[in-house]
Amino acid sequence: HEGMNTHMYIFDTGIYPDHSDWIRHDLESRIGEGIICTGTATDYTTTDHGSHVASIAAGKAFGIAKGATIHPIQVLDANGEGSTASLLCGMEKLLADGIA
């Protein structure tokens, strides 16, 4: 599978964690540890932009890296708005994970 043993950090509105696109063939989730940098979690019923982006990047059906672990980094709220502070929070997560 493309993207096995890789990690994708999706900076967006967060993702719907229970979507079938994130389930591996062994029925384990491909969602890794993420972080909410906006103060409150997005209501996934009002926005699905982050899930859409994650599906393009790593979705099981049509994603580029179908086997990658997905780390949701919520830096935008349900209105798609964020701040410099929320982006820095996300970058700190990358640094903490030893990625950047």
Side-chain angles (χ1 to χ4, degrees):
H1 285 88
E2 302 93 340
M4 291 294 289
N5 301 314
T6 60
H7 297 263
M8 299 193 87
Y9 288 74
I10 307 296
F11 281 61
D12 209 297
T13 58
I15 66 170
Y16 178 64
D18 297 326
H19 193 286
S20 62
D21 237 10
W22 323 138
I23 305 299
R24 296 189 314 226
H25 295 290
D26 62 3
L27 302 181
E28 292 293 320
S29 175
R30 291 187 299 121
I31 300 297
E33 182 181 344
I35 190 168
I36 297 169
C37 294
T38 57
T40 58
T42 296
D43 176 0
Y44 300 109
T45 62
T46 61
T47 181
D48 57 2
H49 190 268
S51 296
H52 176 81
V53 170
S55 288
I56 292 170
K60 180 171 60 176
F62 300 105
I64 296 167
K66 294 172 177 59
T69 299
I70 303 161
H71 299 271
I73 309 298
Q74 185 179 323
V75 296
L76 302 175
D77 63 19
N79 296 318
E81 297 175 354
S83 66
T84 302
S86 65
L87 287 172
L88 289 174
C89 168
M91 294 303 294
E92 287 173 356
K93 171 65 175 160
L94 290 178
L95 291 171
D97 286 0
I99 303 298

